[in-house]
Amino acid sequence: MKEHTKEIRQKVLETAKELLIEQGYKKTTIRGIVGRSGVLTGSIYYFFKNKEMIFADMIATIVHQCIEKIDACSEGESPAFKYAVICEVELKKMQDDPRIREIYYECYHSPIIFERMVDLFAAYAEQLFGERFTKEEYRQKNLLIKGAMGACITAMNFETAMNTEKARREVIRAALKLFGISEAEIEATLQHMAEREEIWQKIAQELVEMPLAI
């Protein structure tokens, strides 16, 4: 019974991801998910209160997959480096892919999804930096960081173009400062991260293409 329940939930999330990438957030509906997945409306509402909750769970799964990939290819790297990379993977993909940018723009403007992203990043930061801060302080810092990332994504659609590459670096720099990282370590981290840019781009693309691991 538990396996069957898991299969249904995964099917809903997988279908939601497919539709999201094909047609964007606004055009993806519960009705569309029902039509594509074959899962009945009642079954979907058994697991998810609304469309936002579906995408909040989907984003959470993608973030966990992203963390696993970063940890796997960053063994021995500093907490600052790993945290910088998770921000880089998201922001670089937004910059390069208008489809993903539109999805994340809508996610950042949903209180339900945005709160989930803040909590996920706060949990990862606490895992990396340990007891340096309280849980509430981690949450507050990641609220500011995700807010800055959301602003950076919005700026990618400004009529007057900004240097998005530089803006991305400044967001990551500000994030690391919030965790008390020294200027010297920040500079070294940004340089080291830039040297492995192709790896982060590959991870970002894999996250778009690969099945969700529920």
Side-chain angles (χ1 to χ4, degrees):
M1 181 64 176
K2 187 176 289 186
E3 280 301 313
H4 179 64
T5 299
K6 183 179 177 180
E7 286 174 12
I8 292 175
R9 184 171 175 274
Q10 178 149 3
K11 195 167 189 179
V12 171
L13 292 176
E14 282 284 6
T15 302
K17 182 182 177 183
E18 290 172 9
L19 291 173
L20 195 66
I21 292 170
E22 287 175 17
Q23 59 191 29
Y25 183 83
K26 289 181 179 178
K27 292 182 179 179
T28 300
T29 62
I30 296 286
R31 180 177 294 181
I33 294 170
V34 169
R36 174 74 66 89
S37 68
V39 177
L40 297 176
T41 305
S43 296
I44 291 178
Y45 281 114
Y46 175 79
F47 293 105
F48 306 100
K49 184 179 179 181
N50 50 38
K51 183 175 99 169
E52 284 180 300
M53 294 303 295
I54 293 175
F55 289 111
D57 273 23
M58 187 196 73
I59 291 292
T61 302
I62 292 172
V63 169
H64 287 305
Q65 288 178 312
C66 184
I67 288 170
E68 287 177 1
K69 287 180 173 292
I70 290 169
D71 287 345
C73 66
S74 302
E75 188 175 350
E77 300 287 1
S78 69
F81 182 83
K82 291 181 179 182
Y83 190 89
V85 168
I86 196 172
C87 296
E88 171 74 0
V89 167
E90 182 177 312
L91 288 171
K92 187 68 168 69
K93 191 60 181 175
M94 304 308 112
Q95 180 181 317
D96 294 345
D97 193 329
R99 299 171 308 156
I100 306 301
R101 187 188 314 157
E102 186 269 340
I103 292 166
Y104 268 81
Y105 178 85
E106 295 299 331
C107 289
Y108 270 89
H109 287 78
S110 158
I112 291 172
I113 302 175
F114 183 71
E115 182 178 6
R116 180 70 73 87
M117 289 194 291
V118 168
D119 289 342
L120 288 165
F121 269 61
Y124 188 48
E126 185 175 7
Q127 176 187 322
L128 292 173
F129 296 105
E131 297 180 358
R132 190 178 301 186
F133 306 101
T134 66
K135 287 186 179 297
E136 182 58 25
E137 286 171 335
Y138 275 117
R139 201 163 190 256
Q140 289 169 355
K141 291 176 188 300
N142 281 277
L143 172 64
L144 295 174
I145 293 164
K146 296 306 285 182
M149 290 175 70
C152 192
I153 292 168
T154 301
M156 292 174 189
N157 295 317
F158 279 3
E159 289 185 13
T160 303
M162 293 184 68
N163 184 330
T164 52
E165 194 82 22
K166 186 174 180 180
R168 197 171 80 244
R169 285 289 177 269
E170 288 304 312
V171 168
I172 296 173
R173 185 188 303 278
L176 296 182
K177 283 183 179 179
L178 281 173
F179 294 118
I181 307 303
S182 70
E183 288 289 345
E185 186 177 351
I186 290 173
E187 289 301 326
T189 296
L190 292 175
Q191 178 61 37
H192 185 33
M193 187 172 67
E195 292 167 356
R196 302 175 67 187
E197 182 178 352
E198 290 184 6
I199 296 175
W200 320 134
Q201 290 178 328
K202 183 173 182 286
I203 287 175
Q205 189 58 35
E206 286 174 350
L207 292 169
V208 172
E209 296 173 351
M210 69 188 294
L212 294 174
I214 307 300

